[in-house]
Amino acid sequence: MTSYATGPYRLTLLPHQPYAVRYSAAAPALGFAFDGQTGQHAFDSDRLRPFRTRPNSFAYVPPDCAVQSRSPTGGEYLTITLPDALAAPQTTDLSAPALRPLALRLRQELLAPGRIDPLELEALAAQFVAGAREALALPKPRAAGWLTPQRLARLDALIEAQLAEGISVAALAAALGLSEGFFSRAVKASLGVSPQAYLLDRKLSRARALLRTRPDDLSQIALAAGFSSHAHLSAACRRYLGVTPSALRGQG
């Protein structure tokens, strides 16, 4: 876990690992899910309900909200604690594609704590909060029709099973009985990114898990995560995470 306070905000980057928490929110907070998550949660209730959070979705927890949440796998998650409550109820799994680039830049800053620029981090956090405030004020869009939680689980299972072999977008669409065009539109509508970007996210997520848990050399890890070479993995890490694979060893 990496946490950093800047201006009126506290940002925390939670790693992809199992968790079980129970607390009353001392301050309002926004969250952004880089990975999909499944588990059980409850808000202002003792009744736990199953949940499936989509990647690239965000949530808002108001102050004094009682939270219970647990997941056998977890997922990388960014939280931003706010100085003031937003004019919105507690909510989860909301889509706001404009927040993804800001969340990625915030993650880059937090993964390289020695290079953090407090003023830039505060400005990025303020932009994220403004974007979330705008998204919360809008009527909830209809859920992207085709990519239901069950179909997203099937898609993730297909990717997980074949990631190291270099599965393509066309192959995923065919496995799901869809045209490539329709599949691409459904993924974009539901997850806010293209299928190609989603596959890259999954590759990076697997590479980071292997870097955290296995002593293999970087070439082996690159291939196991679906990258063509150590150089390909290194380039992707630098571009999308802002750090080298070696710097990620032992991190969440």
Side-chain angles (χ1 to χ4, degrees), residues 35 48 55 67 69 81 104 119 148 153 171 188 211 225 250:
D35 301 315
L48 289 164
V67 178
S69 186
T81 301
L104 294 178
L119 291 178
T148 62
K188 179 73 173 180
L211 286 165

Side-chain angles (χ1 to χ4, degrees), residues 1-250:
M1 181 178 74
T2 302
S3 188
Y4 194 91
T6 180
Y9 310 110
R10 174 167 288 280
L11 294 91
T12 303
L13 186 62
L14 300 168
H16 191 146
Q17 63 184 27
Y19 70 85
V21 296
R22 182 169 186 163
Y23 63 93
S24 180
L30 290 165
F32 184 88
F34 293 101
D35 301 315
Q37 294 189 36
T38 59
Q40 295 179 304
H41 62 198
F43 299 93
D44 284 331
S45 169
D46 288 328
R47 185 176 180 183
L48 289 164
R49 298 177 181 273
F51 75 86
R52 175 175 288 277
T53 297
R54 293 170 297 167
N56 304 312
S57 64
F58 81 102
Y60 173 63
V61 176
D64 302 318
C65 180
V67 178
Q68 294 184 68
S69 186
R70 61 193 186 201
S71 171
T73 59
E76 190 174 31
Y77 199 78
L78 172 70
T79 66
I80 303 178
T81 301
L82 312 177
D84 302 300
L86 304 181
Q90 179 277 322
T91 188
T92 61
D93 203 38
L94 287 179
S95 176
L99 293 182
R100 174 180 156 86
L102 293 167
L104 294 178
R105 290 177 64 191
L106 287 166
R107 181 172 69 176
Q108 285 189 6
E109 291 287 324
L110 293 170
L111 285 174
R115 308 201 304 258
I116 284 178
D117 179 337
L119 291 178
E120 180 177 1
L121 193 64
E122 182 179 352
L124 288 170
Q127 290 178 55
F128 186 98
V129 173
R133 190 190 302 271
E134 181 178 337
L136 286 164
L138 296 173
K140 286 188 178 182
R142 290 184 179 178
W146 183 83
L147 201 60
T148 62
Q150 294 76 18
R151 286 170 172 156
L152 178 57
R154 186 179 173 203
L155 171 62
D156 284 343
L158 285 168
I159 292 173
E160 182 66 22
Q162 302 181 61
L163 195 61
E165 286 72 39
I167 189 168
S168 67
V169 172
L172 283 171
L176 294 168
L178 301 171
S179 71
E180 187 173 350
F182 179 85
F183 173 68
S184 295
R185 292 192 297 274
V187 170
K188 179 73 173 180
S190 182
L191 304 182
V193 294
S194 68
Q196 292 84 354
Y198 188 56
L199 277 172
L200 179 58
D201 284 348
R202 307 282 31 91
K203 290 179 181 181
L204 285 169
S205 180
R206 179 180 288 187
R208 292 176 68 189
L210 296 176
L211 286 165
R212 187 173 67 245
T213 59
R214 282 171 39 177
D216 304 7
D217 66 49
L218 294 180
S219 294
Q220 290 176 303
I221 285 176
L223 295 175
F227 292 95
S228 60
S229 65
H230 173 189
H232 186 197
L233 170 62
S234 295
C237 285
R238 287 193 184 94
R239 180 175 180 183
Y240 296 101
L241 302 177
V243 293
T244 65
S246 296
L248 291 169
R249 285 272 189 198

